[in-house]
C-alpha cells in the first residue's frame, strides 16, 4: 500500500499518517519525491486490516490517494526507492553509471590457477574476482568445488593481487563461513528460490549478487530479491544469466537482455549481465557482453580461465586472458561512446 500525499501536505500531516500506520502495528516509510511525499508500507498488510486502513487513511488531512500495490515486491521497487542503488565496496563502485566487471574462473581449482586468473583479470581492468568454491553441479559425480579450501585460496589470492572477491554460497549453514572469506556473496541460479538461504544471506549484511533462475519470471526473481532486502540486506545486485532456451543446439541458455531495461525501470537495484552462462560458448561471449553493456547493464560477470581447455568446469564458455583483454578494451570504447 502506498499513500500519496497532496503537494501541499504539511510536515504534521505527513507525520500524522506515519503515526496512524504505526498505531496499526505497521511500519511506514516516507518517500520524499520531487513534487510530493509518498508513504509506503513495505511489509505485508493483514487482509482484514486493508479496508480499515484504506478508509481511515484516505480521509486524513493532506492525503491525496491510497494506492494498492499488487506486485510481489516492494523494497526492490522504484516506487519505494526512486533513486538508484549504488553499491560501494572497498573503493569499487557498482551502479551509478559505472560498468563493473567481475571476472575469473568458474571454480577455484588450485592456488596457481586462481593466482594466474586474478592477475590476468585485474591487469585487464576487472575490479572483482569471481570463482566458485562450492559448485552446484547437475551431476553428483562432477567436480563439486574445493569448498573451505577454495575459500581460503580465494581470500589469499584476493589479498595478494589486491582485488575484491565474489563467490557462491549454496547452503544456508555456510553463509557465515563464506561471508568471512569473500567480499560479495553470489546466490546461484539454482538457489534463487531457496528461501532459507535467502534469509540467511540477507541477514549476513554482505553485498549480494542474486542470479535469476533459468525459468523464473521477473516477478519471481524480484520477490527473491525482496527476501534479501526484507532480511536486512541493502546491497543487492540482480544478475541475468540466461533463461531456458527454445533450442539448445547452439547456445546453453537464452540471455534475456529484455530484463536489463525492464529491471532498470522497475527496480533501483544494479543489474549485472552474465554472458558466459547466458550463451555458453566462449566465441560468442564478447558479443553478448557488449550487448549487455549497450542495454544498460551496471556490470558484467564473465568467466575467464588461464587455460580454458583444462578447466574443471565451464571451460567451453571461459575466455582466455587474451580474449578477455580484448573484450575489456571494447567495453571501454563502447562505454565512452554511450556516455559521449
Ligand atoms: C557460476 O556462476 O559459475 C554458476 C554456477 O552460475 P549459475 O548459478 O548462473 O548457473
Ligand atoms: Mn560457471
Amino acid at each position: 500500500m502506498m499513500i500519496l500525499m497532496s503537494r501541499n501536505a504539511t510536515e504534521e500531516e505527513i507525520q500524522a499518517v506515519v503515526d496512524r500506520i504505526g498505531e496499526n502495528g505497521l511500519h511506514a516509510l516516507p518517500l520524499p519525491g520531487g513534487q510530493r511525499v509518498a508513504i509506503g508500507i513495505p511489509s505485508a498488510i493483514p487482509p482484514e486490516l486493508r479496508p480499515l486502513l484504506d478508509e481511515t487513511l484516505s480521509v486524513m488531512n493532506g492525503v491525496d490517494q491510497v494506492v494498492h500495490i499488487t506486485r510481489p515486491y516492494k523494497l526492490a521497487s522504484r516506487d519505494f526507492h526512486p533513486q538508484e542503488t549504488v553499491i560501494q565496496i572497498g573503493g569499487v563502485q557498482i551502479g551509478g553509471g559505472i560498468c563493473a566487471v567481475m571476472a575469473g574462473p568458474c571454480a577455484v581449482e588450485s592456488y596457481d590457477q586462481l593466482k594466474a586468473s586474478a592477475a590476468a583479470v585485474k591487469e585487464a581492468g576487472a575490479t572483482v574476482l569471481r570463482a566458485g568454491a562450492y559448485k552446484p553441479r547437475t551431476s553428483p559425480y562432477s567436480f563439486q568445488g574445493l569448498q573451505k579450501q577454495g575459500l581460503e585460496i580465494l581470500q589469499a589470492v584476493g589479498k595478494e593481487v589486491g582485488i575484491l572477491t565474489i563467490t557462491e554460497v549454496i547452503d544456508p549453514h555456510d553463509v557465515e563461513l563464506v561471508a568471512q572469506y569473500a567480499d560479495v556473496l553470489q546466490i546461484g541460479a539454482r538457489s534463487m528460490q531457496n528461501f532459507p538461504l535467502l534469509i540467511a544471506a540477507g541477514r549476513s549484511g554482505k553485498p549480494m549478487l542474486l542470479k535469476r533462475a533459468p525459468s523464473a519470471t521477473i516477478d519471481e526473481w524480484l520477490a527473491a530479491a525482496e527476501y534479501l532486502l526484507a532480511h536486512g540486506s541493502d546491497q543487492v545486485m540482480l544478475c541475468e544469466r540466461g533463461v531456458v532456451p527454445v533450442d539448445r543446439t547452439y547456445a546453453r541458455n537464452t540471455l534475456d537482455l529484455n530484463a536489463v531495461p525492464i529491471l532498470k525501470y522497475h527496480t533501483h537495484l544494479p543489474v549485472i549481465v552474465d554472458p558466459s552462462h547466458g550463451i555458453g560458448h566462449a566465441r560468442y561471449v564478447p558479443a553478448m557482453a557488449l550487448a549487455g553493456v549497450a542495454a544498460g547493464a551496471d556490470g558484467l560477470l564473465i568467466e575467464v580461465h588461464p587455460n580454458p581447455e583444462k578447466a574443471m568446469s565451464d571451460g567451453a564458455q571461459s575466455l582466455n586472458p587474451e580474449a578477455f583483454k580484448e573484450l575489456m578494451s571494447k567495453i571501454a570504447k563502447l562505454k565512452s561512446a554511450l556516455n559521449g
Side-chain angles (χ1 to χ4, degrees), residues 53-68:
L53 268 182
D54 209 345
E55 225 171 279
T56 52
L57 296 176
S58 54
V59 296
M60 287 182 76
N61 290 337
V63 171
D64 185 17
Q65 214 185 333
V66 176
V67 183
H68 293 271

Side-chain angles (χ1 to χ4, degrees), residues 106 130 135-136 168 186-190 211-212 241 252 274 277 301 303 314 317:
C106 182
R130 65 140 292 148
K135 295 308 301 175
E168 179 167 356
Q186 175 173 324
I187 307 286
R190 291 157 195 81
K211 287 197 163 195
R212 180 187 192 173
R241 47 77 72 201
R252 184 176 177 183
D274 171 352
H277 293 84
L301 186 73
E303 288 188 337
D314 286 349
Q317 67 193 33

Side-chain angles (χ1 to χ4, degrees), residues 39-256:
I39 301 169
I41 307 178
S43 54
I45 302 170
E48 65 280 7
L49 208 55
R50 279 167 206 255
L52 180 75
L53 268 182
D54 209 345
E55 225 171 279
T56 52
L57 296 176
S58 54
V59 296
M60 287 182 76
N61 290 337
V63 171
D64 185 17
Q65 214 185 333
V66 176
V67 183
H68 293 271
I69 296 175
T70 49
R71 290 198 190 108
Y73 57 91
K74 295 178 181 185
L75 298 171
S77 154
R78 280 256 187 205
D79 298 336
F80 274 70
H81 192 296
Q83 70 283 17
E84 92 178 85
T85 288
V86 177
I87 296 179
Q88 299 277 358
I89 322 163
V92 169
Q93 178 176 321
I94 302 169
I98 303 280
C99 182
V101 179
M102 306 176 219
C106 182
V108 182
E109 297 169 10
S110 68
Y111 172 82
D112 290 343
Q113 169 255 13
L114 194 66
K115 185 82 186 265
S117 311
V121 301
K122 183 176 178 186
E123 203 215 298
T127 47
V128 184
L129 171 66
R130 65 140 292 148
Y134 296 87
K135 295 308 301 175
R137 305 305 297 280
T138 303
S139 162
Y141 308 117
S142 301
F143 174 57
Q144 304 285 310
L146 296 183
Q147 312 199 349
K148 182 151 187 286
Q149 194 201 347
L151 293 177
E152 288 163 0
I153 295 173
L154 180 67
Q155 186 180 53
V157 167
K159 284 199 174 130
E160 284 164 26
V161 175
I163 187 166
L164 296 177
T165 55
I166 176 169
T167 199
E168 179 167 356
V169 56
I170 58 181
D171 184 327
H173 302 104
D174 290 336
V175 167
E176 241 175 84
L177 178 77
V178 178
Q180 282 165 25
Y181 285 92
D183 298 299
V184 183
L185 302 185
Q186 175 173 324
I187 307 286
R190 291 157 195 81
S191 303
M192 191 201 86
Q193 284 184 317
N194 179 338
F195 301 116
L197 176 64
L198 297 174
I199 293 168
R203 286 184 182 148
S204 74
K206 295 293 276 196
M208 212 90 54
L209 178 138
L210 176 65
K211 287 197 163 195
R212 180 187 192 173
S215 303
T217 63
I218 300 263
D219 275 356
E220 286 165 343
W221 186 11
L222 291 176
E226 192 79 10
Y227 265 85
L228 297 172
L229 297 165
H231 286 91
S233 186
D234 59 357
Q235 296 181 301
V236 177
M237 297 168 241
L238 299 165
C239 178
E240 164 59 40
R241 47 77 72 201
V243 292
V244 174
V246 173
D247 176 4
R248 277 217 158 92
T249 316
Y250 299 100
R252 184 176 177 183
N253 291 297
T254 294
L255 190 65
D256 178 12

